Amino acid sequence: MLRRGGPGTCEICEKKPATRKAKFTAQYLQSSATPLFDEESLVACEFEKRVCEDCLASLQNAKNVANLTFERL
C-alpha cells in the first residue's frame, strides 16, 4: 500500500515537515529494449517539490541533479 503524507509534508520522504520548495532537473539513463540491441538515451525531467532539510541535502549531493534552486516556504 502506498503511504501518502499529509499536507505540508516532504514530497520525497513523506515523513518530515517540508521547509523548502526546491526546483531542479534530474537526469537519468532511459533504455528501451529492441529485438536487436538496447537503445539508451539520456533523459532530463524538471521537478518542483516541497522538501525537508534532509532531502534537500540529499538533492545537493546527488550527481544526477542539476539546476537546483530552493527557497523557504
Side-chain angles (χ1 to χ4, degrees), residues 28-43:
Y28 60 94
L29 192 62
Q30 181 179 15
S31 64
S32 59
T34 61
L36 299 176
F37 59 92
D38 285 335
E39 184 177 324
E40 295 180 341
S41 59
L42 189 62
V43 178

Side-chain angles (χ1 to χ4, degrees), residues 41-53:
S41 59
L42 189 62
V43 178
C45 293
E46 286 192 23
F47 294 97
E48 188 170 327
K49 300 216 176 246
R50 296 161 43 113
V51 297
C52 64
E53 295 296 323

Side-chain angles (χ1 to χ4, degrees), residues 19-21 53 70-73:
T19 57
R20 307 275 182 143
K21 181 194 239 179
E53 295 296 323
F70 53 91
E71 60 188 41
R72 287 202 181 275
L73 288 176

